Amino acid sequence: MVRPTARSGVGGALATAMERAGLAPRLARGILVAVMTCIGIVAVIKVVETRLSVLQTVLCLVYLAAVVALQLRYFAWQDEGAGPSRRATLIALAVQGLLAYLPLLQFGRAWVGMPGLFAGSVLLALPAVPAWSLFAVVVVSIAVVQFDMSGSWDDVLYTGISTVLTGLVVYGLCKLATLVGMLSRARAEFARLAIEAERDRVARDLHDILGYQLSAIALKTELAQRLIDARPERARTELDESLGISRDALSEVRGLARGITALSLSNEIRSTHSTLAAAGIDLEVTQDGDLGSVPDDVRTALAVVLREAVTNLLRHSAASSCSLRLTYGPGPVELVMDNDRTDARGPDGEPGRVGGLGNLRQRMADVGGSFEAGPRDDGTFRLRASVP
């Protein structure tokens, strides 16, 4: 059952979702690369301030580029599905650790900020307990190195806090970029599933709404063709009714395009009388209770069930008579339709399959009801829809 709702273009919604899905990760990665670049620039400034030789400066820049490249390649987005293997990540972590500590022997205080990047990578690459333990080791070790270089407790405190801050910033930004990517992919997947659900809805509504009208129009037109010479007035009546059904179908298709599918159960009962009479099938209708007490969504669902039942009756049976019983409460709201001489074959000719009944089960489930249909021991076919 599809309730009256205003629907926007699903194609535009998907395009917007996909655009946002691509923009957010790019923005997050851009921020991360910018921060890493700023950390590198600070390191370069320290190197320049120490007035190293040209060769040492170039070598320092090479080390720095390697550290940043490892950071972005193996640790920044390591949770995004097809990333590097666990073994490759651990090897990269070990190499980055060497690049964080060994250049200290060559560049001294100019390189003292680089272990902070390694501390962030440790948090990203290892499980929680060993990660935070090794993170603490990195902070303490660089503080010890700083004390050995300067002997100043102020420098030790500054270096320790700087290492903690750099490690946490790197860890937080990398995790944020990963989470943004995951969220964006989830949003795109949600939009894709919404499109599929909308496509299924339209296909189901087209089948349930138009199947009956087209069958009725074909039946009445064939009948009018047979009667046009012998009984022209009756033929004209059948053609007029066919025209009315086609107009109703056009109106319902327009409503479907706007996402509005509301059918009248009373009109469907009257239409069933006319259609089955044209097909030469006797119909007995029994109604018990007040139709006005039935909620609109339940009435629409039952109208769809009745319409599909008549469509299957015309297409897949050789019935000569049928009965329709409608109960509108105060207990369950029920629609029961029985017909004789049923074939119970679907449109593909496979026994036991009746076209469109899967749609009806879904529609009744949407309003909290149940649906069952099948042949009985006495050779008749029963269709039953019930809502508590």
Side-chain angles (χ1 to χ4, degrees):
M1 161 61 190
V2 180
R3 293 178 174 83
T5 55
R7 295 179 181 270
S8 59
V10 292
L14 180 59
T16 301
M18 295 301 292
E19 182 180 354
R20 291 177 178 175
L23 177 61
R26 289 197 297 270
L27 179 60
R29 293 185 181 190
I31 293 174
L32 177 58
V33 171
V35 170
M36 297 295 295
T37 302
C38 291
I39 293 175
I41 292 174
V42 171
V44 170
I45 292 174
K46 287 186 177 181
V47 169
V48 173
E49 287 178 347
T50 56
R51 302 185 182 279
L52 299 176
S53 66
V54 174
L55 179 61
Q56 287 180 313
T57 302
V58 172
L59 187 59
C60 179
L61 293 176
V62 171
Y63 290 159
L64 178 62
V67 171
V68 174
L70 287 172
Q71 184 73 41
L72 295 177
R73 173 64 181 84
Y74 290 95
F75 308 113
W77 304 286
Q78 79 280 12
D79 294 331
E80 290 193 359
S85 65
R86 180 67 177 170
R87 182 171 179 269
T89 300
L90 293 178
I91 292 175
L93 183 66
V95 173
Q96 193 183 44
L98 293 176
L99 291 173
Y101 279 96
L102 291 182
L104 287 170
L105 301 176
Q106 186 176 6
F107 305 119
R109 298 181 63 177
W111 198 255
V112 79
M114 288 300 101
L117 292 177
F118 175 63
S121 299
V122 165
L123 295 179
L124 293 166
L126 300 178
V129 174
W132 287 104
S133 300
L134 186 54
F135 181 86
V137 170
V138 171
V139 173
V140 172
S141 65
I142 199 63
V144 171
V145 170
Q146 179 64 53
F147 183 78
D148 182 65
M149 290 180 180
S150 65
S152 170
W153 287 104
D154 292 339
D155 290 342
V156 170
L157 181 61
Y158 174 83
T159 301
I161 294 176
S162 177
T163 303
V164 171
L165 181 61
T166 301
L168 292 180
V169 167
V170 169
Y171 171 74
L173 287 177
C174 290
K175 277 295 184 182
L176 178 61
T178 298
L179 292 176
V180 167
M182 294 172 61
L183 179 60
S184 297
R185 292 193 299 275
R187 176 185 293 172
E189 178 66 12
F190 179 79
R192 186 186 66 80
L193 293 176
I195 295 298
E196 291 184 358
E198 180 70 1
R199 186 182 297 115
D200 291 342
R201 179 195 73 85
V202 172
R204 184 174 67 245
D205 287 350
L206 283 175
H207 178 278
D208 294 343
I209 291 174
L210 290 183
Y212 167 76
Q213 279 107 331
L214 294 178
S215 296
I217 291 171
L219 177 65
K220 288 181 175 293
T221 304
E222 290 172 0
L223 179 59
Q225 188 179 35
R226 292 196 302 267
L227 296 175
I228 195 167
D229 293 328
R231 301 174 62 184
E233 290 300 324
R234 173 70 186 279
R236 185 177 295 107
T237 300
E238 296 297 336
L239 289 175
D240 289 342
E241 292 181 358
S242 297
L243 181 59
I245 294 174
S246 65
R247 287 171 175 168
D248 291 342
L250 179 60
S251 176
E252 290 175 4
V253 169
R254 287 171 175 168
L256 176 62
R258 298 192 301 269
I260 302 174
T261 306
L263 303 178
S264 169
L265 182 56
S266 300
N267 290 341
E268 291 304 317
I269 296 173
R270 289 193 294 270
S271 180
T272 298
H273 270 292
S274 173
T275 302
L276 295 185
I281 300 174
D282 295 330
L283 174 64
E284 179 184 354
V285 179
T286 304
Q287 300 188 61
D288 182 19
D290 178 19
L291 178 60
S293 64
V294 180
D296 291 341
D297 57 346
V298 175
R299 277 187 283 180
T300 298
L302 293 178
V304 173
V305 169
L306 177 56
R307 176 175 289 190
E308 182 63 23
V310 175
T311 302
N312 282 312
L313 179 65
L314 296 174
R315 290 179 177 176
H316 313 303
S317 78
S320 61
S321 64
C322 70
S323 63
L324 174 63
R325 178 167 54 86
L326 292 153
T327 305
Y328 305 131
V333 179
E334 285 190 336
L335 181 152
V336 179
M337 190 170 187
D338 296 312
N339 65 273
D340 61 350
R341 292 188 296 179
T342 184
D343 184 340
R345 288 180 179 269
D348 54 3
E350 296 181 7
R353 294 185 61 184
V354 181
L357 298 188
N359 287 350
L360 301 186
R361 291 188 180 90
Q362 181 60 49
R363 288 187 180 276
M364 295 308 300
D366 289 343
V367 294
S370 61
F371 177 84
E372 57 186 26
R376 306 174 71 193
D377 295 338
D378 58 1
T380 62
F381 187 87
R382 167 165 289 184
L383 179 147
R384 178 177 176 273
S386 177
V387 182

